[in-house]
DNA sequence: CGATACATTGAGGAGGGTCAATCCGGGTGG
DNA sequence: CCACCCGGATTGACCCTCCTCAATGTATCG
């Protein structure tokens, strides 16, 4: 098992990552206080309304945050990959549910520990501010983009966040993309087919690998 | 002119307000560092991309945050009323534009001052976390609600935030509601008419006053 | 009193939802 | 090794919600 600092450094994210831009001494402290969590695909890390007593950093795998409306309408709020943080809550209660998209491992930083560390606290504040910015991006997507634009912008986002050049490894299924974009799975599939016919992407293999034929064209 | 503490105390908001839950001594300090800003209807407080060097608290009036897509598609991200804070930015740049809905007065807290005050900083962190929660509410609205549900939830939100019992004073026009809800003005108007015919709301006078006939029915 | 700005209402059309059939790859069991 | 099954992606046909465009109503202001 890799040490916390190693796994977090391994994350490419220049921004948004927790450990990426911490000093060695701060990293040492963080390693001392951070716990370890592993969850299987589909399991939840926390649920809406649960008490929030820790922040989490994704080491490996992918986690999604979601909320459901009257039980059968689901809105996926965000995807979190290696190096990303999640678990921010207001008034001590989680306002969404965190579910693993595949097997995932995370580090766990108790809020009590966070209160002790001023530098870490400021760092987390910056991450939180960026989270707000991403939430606003989503509002524009959901409020003012049509289906084709939504799918393209999602692929763009995933390309830049997951890297991987011409092979985009999607950790989620069409159904999750749809619930993230405010669309139906059929609509997402149709738009993907349109992109394929336009020569921008290749085939979408069932193990989640999508070939990006024309990265700039997206 | 009212003193800062007075005007902020006047704000009813139990949560989300800046001054509401500060101790008298903290309030004194805040009054010492906070500046004063007044803007006319339609004027902007800051714009996307501008350097962010201060937070703002609404004293009187209403302010909206918005972002525009290719110039002619606008998404309104949030409305801010008396007692609300705005101006949170990531990496020192504003990621949206703040526009006054009517004549508005605000207090201005330089970020440099904020760095000095630990208690205030923690307080602001809490407000920021709540802002994230509201942004997630919007994602559910925009992604998974139909037109009727969006309009009703907006009216509900405004009722609870603006108070005023059976007379809801709307500081924005139909066009702004539409750009907030991801709809067209005509659609919002139609849904309002439907609520009127259902007996839930009364007439919508051109000065922005909407009679709430059945507050619980919403 | 006309002019302007905005809300309202109507008619028609398009985008995306809904439902159902089909396809496709992988796993299972004979 | 092959038939079968199963979950999910794909595709098609149809329909409904919301958008679009245009006309009308209405209050405010010069």
């Amino acid at each position: 098992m890799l040490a916390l600092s190693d796994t977090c450094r391994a994350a490419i994210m220049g921004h948004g990552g927790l450990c990426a831009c911490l000093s060695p001494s701060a990293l040492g402290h963080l390693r001392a206080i951070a716990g370890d969590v592993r969850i299987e695909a589909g399991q939840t890390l926390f649920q809406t309304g649960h008490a929030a007593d820790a922040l989490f950093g994704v080491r490996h795998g992918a986690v999604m945050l979601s909320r459901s409306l009257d039980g059968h309408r689901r809105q996926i709020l965000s995807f979190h990959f290696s190096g990303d943080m999640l678990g921010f809550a207001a008034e001590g209660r989680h306002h969404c549910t965190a579910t693993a998209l595949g097997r995932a491992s995370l580090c766990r930083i108790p809020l009590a520990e966070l209160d002790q560390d001023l530098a870490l606290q400021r760092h987390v504040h910056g991450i939180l501010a960026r989270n707000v910015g991403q939430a606003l991006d989503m509002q524009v997507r959901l409020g003012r983009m049509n289906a084709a634009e939504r799918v393209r912008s999602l692929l763009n986002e995933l390309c830049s966040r997951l890297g991987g050049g011409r092979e985009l490894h999607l950790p989620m299924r069409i159904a999750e993309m749809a619930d993230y974009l405010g669309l139906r799975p059929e609509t997402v599939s149709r738009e993907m087919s349109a992109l394929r016919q336009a020569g921008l992407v290749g085939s979408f293999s069932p193990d989640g690998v999508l070939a990006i034929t024309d990265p700039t064209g997206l």
Side-chain angles (χ1 to χ4, degrees), chain A:
Chain A
M1 189 185 101
L2 290 168
L4 170 61
S5 60
D6 295 329
T7 59
C8 283
R9 279 230 186 87
I12 345 90
M13 317 277 99
H15 51 276
L18 174 64
C19 308
C21 27
L22 283 181
S23 68
S25 68
L27 258 178
H29 180 221
L30 187 57
R31 179 164 31 185
I33 63 176
D36 188 70
V37 184
R38 280 154 194 278
I39 47 176
E40 297 296 315
Q43 285 189 322
T44 61
L45 194 61
F46 51 78
Q47 287 185 303
T48 307
H50 283 190
D53 54 355
L55 292 179
F56 299 92
V58 182
R59 280 178 176 151
H60 295 109
V63 176
M64 66 177 183
L65 300 184
S66 67
R67 236 189 245 189
S68 100
L69 198 61
D70 58 51
H72 70 289
R73 282 186 287 184
R74 177 179 66 163
Q75 177 65 39
I76 294 180
L77 305 162
S78 55
F79 294 116
H80 297 266
F81 309 122
S82 178
D84 294 343
M85 293 223 64
L86 58 131
F88 300 104
E91 273 124 37
R93 301 260 152 216
H94 285 295
H95 37 232
C96 53
T97 296
T99 312
L101 285 165
R103 187 172 296 178
S105 74
L106 304 94
C107 65
R108 182 179 182 282
I109 304 164
L111 287 182
E113 298 285 353
L114 196 71
D115 287 341
Q116 309 295 316
D117 190 329
L118 211 71
L120 189 56
Q121 203 172 329
R122 172 168 311 198
H123 194 70
V124 165
H125 182 90
I127 295 176
L128 185 56
R130 264 188 299 275
N131 274 20
V132 177
Q134 288 170 3
L136 302 187
D137 288 338
M138 272 302 280
Q139 284 185 41
V140 175
R141 248 207 288 245
L142 296 172
R144 287 288 169 238
M145 286 187 184
N146 60 29
E149 292 170 316
R150 292 187 208 189
V151 172
R152 285 171 75 123
S153 75
L154 171 60
L155 291 183
N156 266 320
E157 181 193 336
L158 291 176
C159 275
S160 61
R161 289 179 66 191
L162 292 173
R166 293 179 168 273
E167 282 232 326
L168 185 58
H169 189 86
L170 299 170
M172 74 291 282
R173 297 166 306 168
I174 298 281
E176 274 82 42
M177 296 193 218
D179 282 350
Y180 180 63
L181 297 174
L183 299 171
R184 298 278 118 191
E186 297 93 329
T187 304
V188 174
S189 178
R190 270 182 252 271
E191 296 301 336
M192 298 269 283
S193 299
L195 290 176
R196 198 173 305 128
Q197 287 184 343
L200 295 171
V201 304
S203 64
F204 178 38
S205 69
D207 53 340
V209 177
L210 179 71
I212 305 295
T213 317
D214 182 3
T216 57
L218 281 172

